[in-house]
Amino acid sequence: MHIRDLIQFLGELSENNNRAWFVMNKPRYDILRAEFLELVGRLIAEIGKFDPEVAGCNPKKALFRINRDIRFSHDKSPYKTAFSASITASGLKKPSQGGGPAYYFHIDASGTLLVAGGEYMPPPDRLRTIRQHVIDDAAGFGKMLKNKKLKDAFGDLQDEGKLSRPPKGFAPDAPHIEYIKHKSFIVWKETSLKKKFPADLDKELAAEFKNAYPLIAWLRQAK
């Protein structure tokens, strides 16, 4: 994966986010997308060594499209300025599709690599199932949070969009109530790729995802 070329392309796209520019630069995009697809394929193979449930994931289905859905957006820019992928056991990317816990990463126009694991903004029914699982498996949830590799790599669960009060049906003194208020059950971290271009990005990503695996495994038990 030519990371420098990808960042350069995305940077130019962010400054020229229109169809005419994209059509003129489509050959560049096609080459970079093919390289990104190869990267995701190798990454799936690496993740499969510690998480066999994703070993059969189709890399093409893991990739997000570059086109933005602008139907309900005030921002009418037609293209995303990041290459991204979400690897799940179900093969479904989006939480609304019932994709379940995911290994997600993207590289954006600023050269930022974001690595994440878990479930981001799952739909209401799924979110309630996860919250109930926190109650039913309070000890297991607490053990997962204290996992050294998870904690050292990512810190605590992210609390973006956290409720100010316990959700309906959950007592204020319920075990782990502050986590039950979360709308996502996810960990993530960002690093810059502008000064460092890893030779084996797939292996570095897999190592990060292996650190996130305790959360992935715990979430899969929520049924």
Side-chain angles (χ1 to χ4, degrees):
M1 178 88 231
H2 292 86
I3 299 172
R4 188 192 302 274
D5 293 345
L6 174 58
I7 295 172
Q8 177 70 26
F9 172 82
L10 293 172
E12 292 177 26
L13 176 59
S14 67
E15 296 174 359
N16 303 276
N17 203 324
N18 60 75
R19 189 174 183 278
W21 185 91
F22 190 82
V23 170
M24 288 291 293
N25 289 272
K26 182 74 161 43
R28 293 171 65 194
Y29 167 75
D30 288 340
I31 291 171
L32 291 166
R33 188 183 184 282
E35 291 182 354
F36 193 71
L37 180 62
E38 290 180 3
L39 169 66
V40 172
R42 295 194 303 272
L43 178 57
I44 290 171
E46 290 294 326
I47 296 173
K49 294 176 182 179
F50 62 84
D51 185 359
E53 291 198 36
V54 304
C57 184
N58 184 339
K60 289 184 178 180
K61 291 185 177 181
L63 266 63
F64 284 92
R65 299 172 67 244
I66 193 85
N67 302 80
R68 294 182 63 247
D69 184 351
I70 60 175
R71 291 173 298 172
F72 309 108
S73 175
H74 292 295
D75 179 4
K76 298 303 180 182
S77 303
Y79 304 107
K80 300 171 187 173
T81 56
F83 272 31
S84 55
S86 183
I87 300 166
T88 66
S90 67
L92 301 172
K93 295 189 291 286
K94 299 179 180 179
S96 60
Q97 298 173 327
Y103 302 100
Y104 171 87
F105 78 101
H106 75 224
I107 300 172
D108 69 16
S110 68
T112 298
L113 169 66
L114 183 145
V115 181
E119 295 192 46
Y120 178 74
M121 300 295 284
D125 288 351
R126 174 60 182 165
L127 181 56
R128 182 169 183 83
T129 296
I130 295 171
R131 286 169 168 166
Q132 186 59 50
H133 188 46
V134 174
I135 299 292
D136 297 339
D137 185 34
F141 183 74
K143 182 178 179 181
M144 179 271 294
L145 292 176
K146 294 177 182 177
N147 181 278
K148 183 173 176 21
K149 290 185 177 180
L150 177 70
K151 199 170 183 65
D152 288 351
F154 296 100
D156 204 357
L157 300 188
Q158 301 297 322
D159 62 356
E160 293 182 9
K162 182 178 177 181
L163 298 173
S164 58
R165 298 179 179 180
K168 185 178 179 181
F170 293 88
D173 60 349
H176 305 297
I177 189 60
E178 291 305 312
Y179 291 98
I180 290 172
K181 294 178 185 178
H182 286 203
K183 293 183 180 179
S184 297
F185 284 76
I186 193 166
V187 293
W188 60 268
K189 66 193 298 185
E190 292 179 331
T191 56
S192 176
L193 295 176
K194 277 203 165 182
K195 294 182 179 179
K196 178 187 177 185
F197 303 107
D200 296 312
L201 183 56
D202 53 325
K203 289 183 170 57
E204 291 200 15
L205 286 168
E208 295 288 5
F209 288 142
K210 188 173 183 179
N211 292 330
Y213 178 69
L215 173 59
I216 299 287
W218 183 87
L219 285 166
R220 285 187 185 144
Q221 297 169 6
K223 297 178 180 178

